[in-house]
Amino acid sequence: MSNLLALAGVNTHIGHYHILQGVDFVVPHGGLTVLLGRNGAGKTTCLRTIMGLWKASAGRIDFDGADISSRSTPAVAQLGIGYVPESMGIFAGLTVRENLTLAAREGPIDTRRLDWMFGFLPALKKFWHLPAGHLSGGQKQMLAIARAIIEPRKLLLVDEPTKGLAPSIIAHMVEAFRELKRTDTTILLVEQNFDFARALGDTVAVMDSGRIVHSGSMRELADDEAQQQKLLGLSLDAHQ
Amino acid sequence: MSQTKDALRVPGPDKIPLALIPVIALAALPLIPSLPTWVTLTVAGLAMGMMIFIMASGLTLVFGLMDVMNFAHGAFITIGAFVATSVLLPLAGWTQTDSLWMNLAALLPAILAAMAVTGALGLAFERVIIKPVYGQHLKQILITMGGLIVAEQSIHVIWGPDIIALSKPATLRGSFIFGDIAIEKYRVLAVIVGLAVFAAMFLVLNRTRVGLLIRAGVEDSEMVESLGYRIRRVFIGVFTAGSALAGLGGVMWALYQETVNSAMGMQVMILIFIVIIIGGLGSVGGCFIGALLVGLVANYVGFLAPKIALGSNILLMVLILLWRPQGLYPVAKR
């Protein structure tokens, strides 16, 4: 399987802090890759560096065959990369409709795609005219995901979508991502909830102290408790 | 079922700040000796508020969208006034006849010239002065204050240090008389222009894609960029438009005062800052309500207790911030 995204020796400095210290990993085309790691390992920085929100001080980020490490954030997004930040980044003062209208950069919203999205994100239809600031946490997360996929994207970067969500909402989120996986979208998911990651992930990379310390298939890691203990310092079953 | 209904109920705009305008106006009614005086003061307050809104609206958007506190905004007000003066004085023959069309033939080019010059200067100012200090608030304050001083001194060089008298066009002088009530024609014009500017901004912000981008950018410009939009271009457009509006406000203010001087922009900046803080930094609706409140309070207190007129708007700001610390219409920020 070819790689859609490849990071090689990526370093990122934020002020005086050296956060990413030579990150190397790949995201195969068409699958869901999970980026695991403890708090502060550099997972969010990694996504932000890919998006160009923080500039890589060294290294190369190849997307679809082109180096994007020096491109601006809008230029990266225009290549077909959707981004759902940890904060969700929804526009609270804009309605659900306006949030999605803005995200549909190419023109009016494709109604067939919208109907498809309503199938697995039904709350959006219900709250179509409501300011997004009035939605619950789970609904905001669904809106953030919907906004990232309102137009077909080649790659979706999602940062901890289950953070702070109730288990019933997480179960719903799993279904939503399964539906997304049926499309051609490649997904890079930063996650700490291992059940969620295991249910969806095809490949996995584990970060620690700004470096990738493991990469491989999710199935192998999920079946290897000793490896989990070694990489994350605790059983991944407890890491939920 | 009722919970679902509650969830689906689209919340309307917060009307409490809007209600403050009639509440303050009606509260002043028993304190003012006669109804005609009250009407005159109320119209004067609304007109003053509209002019402050025109001048302040650009600044609040610039702050909300770009996180830039531009102390040089007053310079655009002053320059707008001087540019219009340079157009109007040679056309004194047209402004001093009783023909409305001749008056407009002089006034419209003066307004357009003022807006064009201040818009162009705003564009250059953003590119040269503001761009290098994005995200650095202390440097922004210092460099924009420096820009204001340079602009004032440049005005001295170009137009001289003296106060210049600027008469209103003949058809805008005098008052409309309704029984015992006299309403200055120019104040009516100021209200009309202010409402037109507010309506235009409201339509642009709420009915266009650019407006959607601006509203989203005020909340979270980084996310707008992550969606693939070059928000910096929107920044430039908003800064240019805000500067042009300051120029328009400068023309209106100069004709209201019938004089032009190099410090007029700086003098009115205090009121503008009060207005944008009261309204909620970045909120155009809040700026509109805040400007009207400031205009009304300034006129009522100026009439009832002239000695405390200067401090009345600061007191108004303090009271509003005690009630709503983020201003009347706080803008959601990430």
Side-chain angles (χ1 to χ4, degrees), chain A residues 48 53 72 74 77-78 89 91-93 98 101-102 104-105 126 130 147, chain B residues 7-9 11 209 212 215-216 219-220 222-223 225-230:
Chain A
R48 289 179 64 83
L53 292 164
S72 67
Q78 285 166 13
F91 304 116
E98 287 174 326
T101 300
L102 191 67
R105 209 178 47 242
K126 195 171 171 185
L130 202 71
R147 205 175 50 183
Chain B
L8 288 174
R9 195 173 59 223
R209 195 169 187 86
L212 199 55
R215 285 161 57 212
E219 286 192 33
D220 188 346
E222 187 179 277
M223 194 61 226
E225 288 208 304
S226 298
L227 292 175
Y229 294 99
R230 297 187 185 278

PDB file of all heavy atoms in Angstrom, chain A residues 48 53 72 74 77-78 89 91-93 98 101-102 104-105 126 130 147, chain B residues 7-9 11 209 212 215-216 219-220 222-223 225-230:
ATOM      1  N   ARG A  48      -0.298  19.671  14.195  1.00  0.00           N
ATOM      2  CA  ARG A  48      -0.210  21.109  13.893  1.00  0.00           C
ATOM      3  C   ARG A  48       0.956  21.401  12.942  1.00  0.00           C
ATOM      4  O   ARG A  48       0.873  22.304  12.113  1.00  0.00           O
ATOM      5  CB  ARG A  48      -0.071  21.922  15.185  1.00  0.00           C
ATOM      6  CG  ARG A  48      -1.360  21.931  16.011  1.00  0.00           C
ATOM      7  CD  ARG A  48      -1.186  22.716  17.302  1.00  0.00           C
ATOM      8  NE  ARG A  48      -0.921  24.124  17.073  1.00  0.00           N
ATOM      9  CZ  ARG A  48      -1.842  25.060  16.848  1.00  0.00           C
ATOM     10  NH1 ARG A  48      -3.129  24.725  16.847  1.00  0.00           N
ATOM     11  NH2 ARG A  48      -1.502  26.313  16.642  1.00  0.00           N
ATOM     12  N   LEU A  53       0.559  24.907  11.008  1.00  0.00           N
ATOM     13  CA  LEU A  53       0.229  25.871  12.069  1.00  0.00           C
ATOM     14  C   LEU A  53       1.465  26.179  12.902  1.00  0.00           C
ATOM     15  O   LEU A  53       1.585  27.272  13.459  1.00  0.00           O
ATOM     16  CB  LEU A  53      -0.899  25.316  12.949  1.00  0.00           C
ATOM     17  CG  LEU A  53      -2.249  25.213  12.236  1.00  0.00           C
ATOM     18  CD1 LEU A  53      -3.222  24.321  13.004  1.00  0.00           C
ATOM     19  CD2 LEU A  53      -2.862  26.598  12.049  1.00  0.00           C
ATOM     20  N   SER A  72       2.071  27.245   3.632  1.00  0.00           N
ATOM     21  CA  SER A  72       1.218  27.901   4.625  1.00  0.00           C
ATOM     22  C   SER A  72       0.028  26.988   4.963  1.00  0.00           C
ATOM     23  O   SER A  72      -0.284  26.057   4.202  1.00  0.00           O
ATOM     24  CB  SER A  72       0.693  29.215   4.066  1.00  0.00           C
ATOM     25  OG  SER A  72      -0.187  28.956   2.992  1.00  0.00           O
ATOM     26  N   PRO A  74      -3.290  27.559   4.863  1.00  0.00           N
ATOM     27  CA  PRO A  74      -4.333  27.470   3.823  1.00  0.00           C
ATOM     28  C   PRO A  74      -3.890  26.627   2.634  1.00  0.00           C
ATOM     29  O   PRO A  74      -4.695  25.871   2.076  1.00  0.00           O
ATOM     30  CB  PRO A  74      -4.547  28.934   3.415  1.00  0.00           C
ATOM     31  CG  PRO A  74      -4.076  29.734   4.570  1.00  0.00           C
ATOM     32  CD  PRO A  74      -2.956  28.962   5.183  1.00  0.00           C
ATOM     33  N   ALA A  77      -4.252  23.016   3.563  1.00  0.00           N
ATOM     34  CA  ALA A  77      -5.676  22.623   3.572  1.00  0.00           C
ATOM     35  C   ALA A  77      -6.201  22.473   2.145  1.00  0.00           C
ATOM     36  O   ALA A  77      -6.983  21.558   1.850  1.00  0.00           O
ATOM     37  CB  ALA A  77      -6.487  23.663   4.343  1.00  0.00           C
ATOM     38  N   GLN A  78      -5.754  23.365   1.271  1.00  0.00           N
ATOM     39  CA  GLN A  78      -6.251  23.325  -0.113  1.00  0.00           C
ATOM     40  C   GLN A  78      -5.786  22.084  -0.868  1.00  0.00           C
ATOM     41  O   GLN A  78      -6.353  21.744  -1.906  1.00  0.00           O
ATOM     42  CB  GLN A  78      -5.799  24.594  -0.854  1.00  0.00           C
ATOM     43  CG  GLN A  78      -6.605  25.820  -0.438  1.00  0.00           C
ATOM     44  CD  GLN A  78      -5.979  27.132  -0.887  1.00  0.00           C
ATOM     45  OE1 GLN A  78      -5.071  27.146  -1.716  1.00  0.00           O
ATOM     46  NE2 GLN A  78      -6.458  28.221  -0.330  1.00  0.00           N
ATOM     47  N   GLY A  89     -12.474  23.640  17.505  1.00  0.00           N
ATOM     48  CA  GLY A  89     -12.385  24.811  16.632  1.00  0.00           C
ATOM     49  C   GLY A  89     -13.685  25.198  15.956  1.00  0.00           C
ATOM     50  O   GLY A  89     -13.671  25.803  14.890  1.00  0.00           O
ATOM     51  N   PHE A  91     -17.016  27.380  15.281  1.00  0.00           N
ATOM     52  CA  PHE A  91     -17.300  28.809  15.418  1.00  0.00           C
ATOM     53  C   PHE A  91     -18.611  28.934  16.190  1.00  0.00           C
ATOM     54  O   PHE A  91     -19.701  28.730  15.631  1.00  0.00           O
ATOM     55  CB  PHE A  91     -17.378  29.470  14.047  1.00  0.00           C
ATOM     56  CG  PHE A  91     -16.125  29.263  13.233  1.00  0.00           C
ATOM     57  CD1 PHE A  91     -16.163  28.530  12.050  1.00  0.00           C
ATOM     58  CD2 PHE A  91     -14.908  29.758  13.674  1.00  0.00           C
ATOM     59  CE1 PHE A  91     -15.012  28.319  11.312  1.00  0.00           C
ATOM     60  CE2 PHE A  91     -13.742  29.547  12.941  1.00  0.00           C
ATOM     61  CZ  PHE A  91     -13.794  28.824  11.763  1.00  0.00           C
ATOM     62  N   ALA A  92     -18.495  29.274  17.461  1.00  0.00           N
ATOM     63  CA  ALA A  92     -19.651  29.218  18.362  1.00  0.00           C
ATOM     64  C   ALA A  92     -20.762  30.188  17.973  1.00  0.00           C
ATOM     65  O   ALA A  92     -21.939  29.893  18.157  1.00  0.00           O
ATOM     66  CB  ALA A  92     -19.188  29.500  19.791  1.00  0.00           C
ATOM     67  N   GLY A  93     -20.379  31.326  17.420  1.00  0.00           N
ATOM     68  CA  GLY A  93     -21.390  32.329  17.077  1.00  0.00           C
ATOM     69  C   GLY A  93     -22.072  32.055  15.745  1.00  0.00           C
ATOM     70  O   GLY A  93     -23.055  32.716  15.402  1.00  0.00           O
ATOM     71  N   GLU A  98     -24.015  27.572   8.984  1.00  0.00           N
ATOM     72  CA  GLU A  98     -22.947  28.509   8.597  1.00  0.00           C
ATOM     73  C   GLU A  98     -21.563  27.879   8.765  1.00  0.00           C
ATOM     74  O   GLU A  98     -20.671  28.103   7.947  1.00  0.00           O
ATOM     75  CB  GLU A  98     -23.054  29.792   9.425  1.00  0.00           C
ATOM     76  CG  GLU A  98     -24.237  30.666   9.017  1.00  0.00           C
ATOM     77  CD  GLU A  98     -24.430  31.864   9.935  1.00  0.00           C
ATOM     78  OE1 GLU A  98     -24.154  31.748  11.155  1.00  0.00           O
ATOM     79  OE2 GLU A  98     -24.891  32.904   9.444  1.00  0.00           O
ATOM     80  N   THR A 101     -21.273  25.690   5.774  1.00  0.00           N
ATOM     81  CA  THR A 101     -21.195  26.484   4.545  1.00  0.00           C
ATOM     82  C   THR A 101     -19.775  27.029   4.366  1.00  0.00           C
ATOM     83  O   THR A 101     -19.221  27.021   3.265  1.00  0.00           O
ATOM     84  CB  THR A 101     -22.201  27.652   4.607  1.00  0.00           C
ATOM     85  OG1 THR A 101     -23.507  27.106   4.753  1.00  0.00           O
ATOM     86  CG2 THR A 101     -22.156  28.503   3.352  1.00  0.00           C
ATOM     87  N   LEU A 102     -19.211  27.497   5.465  1.00  0.00           N
ATOM     88  CA  LEU A 102     -17.853  28.052   5.410  1.00  0.00           C
ATOM     89  C   LEU A 102     -16.835  26.971   5.038  1.00  0.00           C
ATOM     90  O   LEU A 102     -15.890  27.212   4.290  1.00  0.00           O
ATOM     91  CB  LEU A 102     -17.501  28.659   6.765  1.00  0.00           C
ATOM     92  CG  LEU A 102     -16.245  29.513   6.825  1.00  0.00           C
ATOM     93  CD1 LEU A 102     -16.427  30.786   5.998  1.00  0.00           C
ATOM     94  CD2 LEU A 102     -15.903  29.879   8.249  1.00  0.00           C
ATOM     95  N   ALA A 104     -17.364  24.394   3.232  1.00  0.00           N
ATOM     96  CA  ALA A 104     -17.520  23.971   1.827  1.00  0.00           C
ATOM     97  C   ALA A 104     -16.854  25.030   0.942  1.00  0.00           C
ATOM     98  O   ALA A 104     -17.508  25.908   0.401  1.00  0.00           O
ATOM     99  CB  ALA A 104     -18.990  23.803   1.485  1.00  0.00           C
ATOM    100  N   ARG A 105     -15.560  24.917   0.831  1.00  0.00           N
ATOM    101  CA  ARG A 105     -14.768  25.966   0.178  1.00  0.00           C
ATOM    102  C   ARG A 105     -15.038  26.046  -1.321  1.00  0.00           C
ATOM    103  O   ARG A 105     -14.937  27.114  -1.917  1.00  0.00           O
ATOM    104  CB  ARG A 105     -13.285  25.659   0.428  1.00  0.00           C
ATOM    105  CG  ARG A 105     -12.398  26.859   0.473  1.00  0.00           C
ATOM    106  CD  ARG A 105     -10.964  26.492   0.774  1.00  0.00           C
ATOM    107  NE  ARG A 105     -10.480  25.383  -0.007  1.00  0.00           N
ATOM    108  CZ  ARG A 105     -10.074  24.208   0.513  1.00  0.00           C
ATOM    109  NH1 ARG A 105     -10.090  24.025   1.814  1.00  0.00           N
ATOM    110  NH2 ARG A 105      -9.642  23.241  -0.257  1.00  0.00           N
ATOM    111  N   LYS A 126     -30.801  18.075  13.015  1.00  0.00           N
ATOM    112  CA  LYS A 126     -31.741  18.537  14.039  1.00  0.00           C
ATOM    113  C   LYS A 126     -31.436  19.970  14.469  1.00  0.00           C
ATOM    114  O   LYS A 126     -32.321  20.778  14.686  1.00  0.00           O
ATOM    115  CB  LYS A 126     -31.608  17.588  15.233  1.00  0.00           C
ATOM    116  CG  LYS A 126     -32.697  17.661  16.246  1.00  0.00           C
ATOM    117  CD  LYS A 126     -32.490  16.496  17.202  1.00  0.00           C
ATOM    118  CE  LYS A 126     -33.385  16.565  18.400  1.00  0.00           C
ATOM    119  NZ  LYS A 126     -33.070  15.486  19.342  1.00  0.00           N
ATOM    120  N   LEU A 130     -29.204  26.196  14.668  1.00  0.00           N
ATOM    121  CA  LEU A 130     -28.824  26.606  16.024  1.00  0.00           C
ATOM    122  C   LEU A 130     -27.369  27.093  16.029  1.00  0.00           C
ATOM    123  O   LEU A 130     -26.507  26.488  15.398  1.00  0.00           O
ATOM    124  CB  LEU A 130     -28.964  25.395  16.952  1.00  0.00           C
ATOM    125  CG  LEU A 130     -29.119  25.686  18.436  1.00  0.00           C
ATOM    126  CD1 LEU A 130     -30.483  26.296  18.716  1.00  0.00           C
ATOM    127  CD2 LEU A 130     -28.938  24.413  19.242  1.00  0.00           C
ATOM    128  N   ARG A 147     -17.522  19.243   9.480  1.00  0.00           N
ATOM    129  CA  ARG A 147     -16.918  20.385   8.792  1.00  0.00           C
ATOM    130  C   ARG A 147     -15.667  19.950   8.020  1.00  0.00           C
ATOM    131  O   ARG A 147     -15.386  20.454   6.931  1.00  0.00           O
ATOM    132  CB  ARG A 147     -16.565  21.444   9.831  1.00  0.00           C
ATOM    133  CG  ARG A 147     -16.499  22.831   9.276  1.00  0.00           C
ATOM    134  CD  ARG A 147     -16.275  23.831  10.368  1.00  0.00           C
ATOM    135  NE  ARG A 147     -15.163  23.443  11.224  1.00  0.00           N
ATOM    136  CZ  ARG A 147     -14.784  24.126  12.306  1.00  0.00           C
ATOM    137  NH1 ARG A 147     -15.442  25.195  12.663  1.00  0.00           N
ATOM    138  NH2 ARG A 147     -13.776  23.727  13.031  1.00  0.00           N
TER     139      ARG A 147
ATOM    140  N   ALA B   7     -34.172  22.547  23.044  1.00  0.00           N
ATOM    141  CA  ALA B   7     -32.896  22.436  22.334  1.00  0.00           C
ATOM    142  C   ALA B   7     -32.998  22.992  20.922  1.00  0.00           C
ATOM    143  O   ALA B   7     -32.051  23.560  20.398  1.00  0.00           O
ATOM    144  CB  ALA B   7     -32.447  20.979  22.290  1.00  0.00           C
ATOM    145  N   LEU B   8     -34.174  22.806  20.310  1.00  0.00           N
ATOM    146  CA  LEU B   8     -34.340  23.223  18.923  1.00  0.00           C
ATOM    147  C   LEU B   8     -34.705  24.694  18.787  1.00  0.00           C
ATOM    148  O   LEU B   8     -34.676  25.235  17.683  1.00  0.00           O
ATOM    149  CB  LEU B   8     -35.434  22.370  18.255  1.00  0.00           C
ATOM    150  CG  LEU B   8     -35.021  20.922  17.979  1.00  0.00           C
ATOM    151  CD1 LEU B   8     -36.197  20.134  17.474  1.00  0.00           C
ATOM    152  CD2 LEU B   8     -33.884  20.874  16.979  1.00  0.00           C
ATOM    153  N   ARG B   9     -35.057  25.305  19.904  1.00  0.00           N
ATOM    154  CA  ARG B   9     -35.458  26.711  19.828  1.00  0.00           C
ATOM    155  C   ARG B   9     -34.229  27.549  19.472  1.00  0.00           C
ATOM    156  O   ARG B   9     -33.222  27.529  20.182  1.00  0.00           O
ATOM    157  CB  ARG B   9     -36.043  27.163  21.158  1.00  0.00           C
ATOM    158  CG  ARG B   9     -36.792  28.484  21.027  1.00  0.00           C
ATOM    159  CD  ARG B   9     -37.504  28.848  22.307  1.00  0.00           C
ATOM    160  NE  ARG B   9     -36.583  28.959  23.404  1.00  0.00           N
ATOM    161  CZ  ARG B   9     -36.802  28.483  24.625  1.00  0.00           C
ATOM    162  NH1 ARG B   9     -37.911  27.838  24.899  1.00  0.00           N
ATOM    163  NH2 ARG B   9     -35.916  28.640  25.589  1.00  0.00           N
ATOM    164  N   PRO B  11     -32.121  30.556  19.526  1.00  0.00           N
ATOM    165  CA  PRO B  11     -32.098  31.727  20.387  1.00  0.00           C
ATOM    166  C   PRO B  11     -32.038  33.009  19.564  1.00  0.00           C
ATOM    167  O   PRO B  11     -31.256  33.115  18.620  1.00  0.00           O
ATOM    168  CB  PRO B  11     -30.813  31.541  21.208  1.00  0.00           C
ATOM    169  CG  PRO B  11     -29.978  30.612  20.413  1.00  0.00           C
ATOM    170  CD  PRO B  11     -30.886  29.776  19.583  1.00  0.00           C
ATOM    171  N   ARG B 209     -20.460  35.609   1.903  1.00  0.00           N
ATOM    172  CA  ARG B 209     -19.427  34.655   2.290  1.00  0.00           C
ATOM    173  C   ARG B 209     -18.247  35.368   2.961  1.00  0.00           C
ATOM    174  O   ARG B 209     -17.667  34.851   3.914  1.00  0.00           O
ATOM    175  CB  ARG B 209     -18.954  33.898   1.043  1.00  0.00           C
ATOM    176  CG  ARG B 209     -18.166  32.653   1.374  1.00  0.00           C
ATOM    177  CD  ARG B 209     -17.945  31.797   0.159  1.00  0.00           C
ATOM    178  NE  ARG B 209     -17.331  30.548   0.561  1.00  0.00           N
ATOM    179  CZ  ARG B 209     -17.987  29.476   0.974  1.00  0.00           C
ATOM    180  NH1 ARG B 209     -19.295  29.507   1.058  1.00  0.00           N
ATOM    181  NH2 ARG B 209     -17.343  28.378   1.332  1.00  0.00           N
ATOM    182  N   LEU B 212     -19.206  35.945   6.407  1.00  0.00           N
ATOM    183  CA  LEU B 212     -19.097  34.693   7.174  1.00  0.00           C
ATOM    184  C   LEU B 212     -17.633  34.458   7.587  1.00  0.00           C
ATOM    185  O   LEU B 212     -17.343  34.079   8.728  1.00  0.00           O
ATOM    186  CB  LEU B 212     -19.592  33.548   6.280  1.00  0.00           C
ATOM    187  CG  LEU B 212     -20.007  32.229   6.928  1.00  0.00           C
ATOM    188  CD1 LEU B 212     -21.069  32.460   7.994  1.00  0.00           C
ATOM    189  CD2 LEU B 212     -20.515  31.264   5.875  1.00  0.00           C
ATOM    190  N   ARG B 215     -16.750  36.924  10.376  1.00  0.00           N
ATOM    191  CA  ARG B 215     -17.319  36.526  11.670  1.00  0.00           C
ATOM    192  C   ARG B 215     -16.581  35.318  12.231  1.00  0.00           C
ATOM    193  O   ARG B 215     -16.305  35.237  13.431  1.00  0.00           O
ATOM    194  CB  ARG B 215     -18.808  36.220  11.513  1.00  0.00           C
ATOM    195  CG  ARG B 215     -19.650  37.492  11.370  1.00  0.00           C
ATOM    196  CD  ARG B 215     -21.006  37.206  10.755  1.00  0.00           C
ATOM    197  NE  ARG B 215     -21.760  36.236  11.497  1.00  0.00           N
ATOM    198  CZ  ARG B 215     -22.621  35.378  10.956  1.00  0.00           C
ATOM    199  NH1 ARG B 215     -22.828  35.384   9.649  1.00  0.00           N
ATOM    200  NH2 ARG B 215     -23.271  34.517  11.692  1.00  0.00           N
ATOM    201  N   ALA B 216     -16.267  34.374  11.366  1.00  0.00           N
ATOM    202  CA  ALA B 216     -15.525  33.199  11.830  1.00  0.00           C
ATOM    203  C   ALA B 216     -14.111  33.599  12.239  1.00  0.00           C
ATOM    204  O   ALA B 216     -13.593  33.135  13.258  1.00  0.00           O
ATOM    205  CB  ALA B 216     -15.484  32.141  10.728  1.00  0.00           C
ATOM    206  N   GLU B 219     -13.699  34.963  15.638  1.00  0.00           N
ATOM    207  CA  GLU B 219     -13.719  33.933  16.692  1.00  0.00           C
ATOM    208  C   GLU B 219     -12.412  33.137  16.728  1.00  0.00           C
ATOM    209  O   GLU B 219     -11.867  32.870  17.791  1.00  0.00           O
ATOM    210  CB  GLU B 219     -14.882  32.966  16.462  1.00  0.00           C
ATOM    211  CG  GLU B 219     -16.234  33.557  16.814  1.00  0.00           C
ATOM    212  CD  GLU B 219     -17.315  32.483  16.850  1.00  0.00           C
ATOM    213  OE1 GLU B 219     -17.026  31.336  17.224  1.00  0.00           O
ATOM    214  OE2 GLU B 219     -18.462  32.805  16.493  1.00  0.00           O
ATOM    215  N   ASP B 220     -11.954  32.700  15.570  1.00  0.00           N
ATOM    216  CA  ASP B 220     -10.808  31.784  15.551  1.00  0.00           C
ATOM    217  C   ASP B 220     -10.157  31.834  14.160  1.00  0.00           C
ATOM    218  O   ASP B 220     -10.510  31.045  13.265  1.00  0.00           O
ATOM    219  CB  ASP B 220     -11.307  30.363  15.862  1.00  0.00           C
ATOM    220  CG  ASP B 220     -10.165  29.370  16.048  1.00  0.00           C
ATOM    221  OD1 ASP B 220      -9.030  29.706  15.683  1.00  0.00           O
ATOM    222  OD2 ASP B 220     -10.427  28.266  16.556  1.00  0.00           O
ATOM    223  N   GLU B 222      -7.186  31.056  13.239  1.00  0.00           N
ATOM    224  CA  GLU B 222      -6.356  29.888  12.933  1.00  0.00           C
ATOM    225  C   GLU B 222      -7.204  28.783  12.290  1.00  0.00           C
ATOM    226  O   GLU B 222      -6.781  28.129  11.340  1.00  0.00           O
ATOM    227  CB  GLU B 222      -5.718  29.395  14.225  1.00  0.00           C
ATOM    228  CG  GLU B 222      -4.716  28.307  14.039  1.00  0.00           C
ATOM    229  CD  GLU B 222      -4.095  27.887  15.357  1.00  0.00           C
ATOM    230  OE1 GLU B 222      -3.153  28.557  15.792  1.00  0.00           O
ATOM    231  OE2 GLU B 222      -4.569  26.899  15.960  1.00  0.00           O
ATOM    232  N   MET B 223      -8.424  28.608  12.818  1.00  0.00           N
ATOM    233  CA  MET B 223      -9.297  27.560  12.272  1.00  0.00           C
ATOM    234  C   MET B 223      -9.757  27.927  10.856  1.00  0.00           C
ATOM    235  O   MET B 223      -9.902  27.049  10.002  1.00  0.00           O
ATOM    236  CB  MET B 223     -10.504  27.358  13.207  1.00  0.00           C
ATOM    237  CG  MET B 223     -11.287  26.095  12.935  1.00  0.00           C
ATOM    238  SD  MET B 223     -10.287  24.603  13.132  1.00  0.00           S
ATOM    239  CE  MET B 223     -10.737  23.689  11.664  1.00  0.00           C
ATOM    240  N   GLU B 225      -8.014  29.517   8.721  1.00  0.00           N
ATOM    241  CA  GLU B 225      -6.878  29.156   7.852  1.00  0.00           C
ATOM    242  C   GLU B 225      -6.825  27.646   7.643  1.00  0.00           C
ATOM    243  O   GLU B 225      -6.514  27.173   6.553  1.00  0.00           O
ATOM    244  CB  GLU B 225      -5.569  29.635   8.475  1.00  0.00           C
ATOM    245  CG  GLU B 225      -5.410  31.144   8.419  1.00  0.00           C
ATOM    246  CD  GLU B 225      -3.957  31.555   8.384  1.00  0.00           C
ATOM    247  OE1 GLU B 225      -3.239  31.156   9.303  1.00  0.00           O
ATOM    248  OE2 GLU B 225      -3.566  32.260   7.436  1.00  0.00           O
ATOM    249  N   SER B 226      -7.149  26.906   8.693  1.00  0.00           N
ATOM    250  CA  SER B 226      -7.117  25.440   8.580  1.00  0.00           C
ATOM    251  C   SER B 226      -8.188  24.923   7.627  1.00  0.00           C
ATOM    252  O   SER B 226      -8.121  23.783   7.171  1.00  0.00           O
ATOM    253  CB  SER B 226      -7.317  24.797   9.952  1.00  0.00           C
ATOM    254  OG  SER B 226      -6.266  25.161  10.808  1.00  0.00           O
ATOM    255  N   LEU B 227      -9.197  25.754   7.363  1.00  0.00           N
ATOM    256  CA  LEU B 227     -10.217  25.361   6.387  1.00  0.00           C
ATOM    257  C   LEU B 227      -9.789  25.728   4.962  1.00  0.00           C
ATOM    258  O   LEU B 227     -10.514  25.464   4.003  1.00  0.00           O
ATOM    259  CB  LEU B 227     -11.552  26.041   6.713  1.00  0.00           C
ATOM    260  CG  LEU B 227     -12.249  25.578   7.995  1.00  0.00           C
ATOM    261  CD1 LEU B 227     -13.496  26.428   8.263  1.00  0.00           C
ATOM    262  CD2 LEU B 227     -12.643  24.113   7.907  1.00  0.00           C
ATOM    263  N   GLY B 228      -8.640  26.384   4.842  1.00  0.00           N
ATOM    264  CA  GLY B 228      -8.106  26.663   3.503  1.00  0.00           C
ATOM    265  C   GLY B 228      -8.271  28.097   3.040  1.00  0.00           C
ATOM    266  O   GLY B 228      -8.047  28.392   1.862  1.00  0.00           O
ATOM    267  N   TYR B 229      -8.661  28.977   3.949  1.00  0.00           N
ATOM    268  CA  TYR B 229      -8.842  30.382   3.556  1.00  0.00           C
ATOM    269  C   TYR B 229      -7.625  31.202   3.974  1.00  0.00           C
ATOM    270  O   TYR B 229      -7.101  31.013   5.072  1.00  0.00           O
ATOM    271  CB  TYR B 229     -10.089  30.971   4.221  1.00  0.00           C
ATOM    272  CG  TYR B 229     -11.367  30.347   3.760  1.00  0.00           C
ATOM    273  CD1 TYR B 229     -11.991  29.359   4.512  1.00  0.00           C
ATOM    274  CD2 TYR B 229     -11.955  30.739   2.560  1.00  0.00           C
ATOM    275  CE1 TYR B 229     -13.176  28.776   4.097  1.00  0.00           C
ATOM    276  CE2 TYR B 229     -13.144  30.166   2.136  1.00  0.00           C
ATOM    277  CZ  TYR B 229     -13.745  29.181   2.905  1.00  0.00           C
ATOM    278  OH  TYR B 229     -14.912  28.615   2.485  1.00  0.00           O
ATOM    279  N   ARG B 230      -7.245  32.111   3.107  1.00  0.00           N
ATOM    280  CA  ARG B 230      -6.111  32.995   3.427  1.00  0.00           C
ATOM    281  C   ARG B 230      -6.651  34.192   4.202  1.00  0.00           C
ATOM    282  O   ARG B 230      -6.993  35.216   3.631  1.00  0.00           O
ATOM    283  CB  ARG B 230      -5.395  33.414   2.142  1.00  0.00           C
ATOM    284  CG  ARG B 230      -4.799  32.227   1.416  1.00  0.00           C
ATOM    285  CD  ARG B 230      -3.944  32.617   0.226  1.00  0.00           C
ATOM    286  NE  ARG B 230      -3.519  31.420  -0.477  1.00  0.00           N
ATOM    287  CZ  ARG B 230      -2.485  30.652  -0.119  1.00  0.00           C
ATOM    288  NH1 ARG B 230      -1.771  30.972   0.934  1.00  0.00           N
ATOM    289  NH2 ARG B 230      -2.178  29.564  -0.801  1.00  0.00           N
TER     290      ARG B 230
END
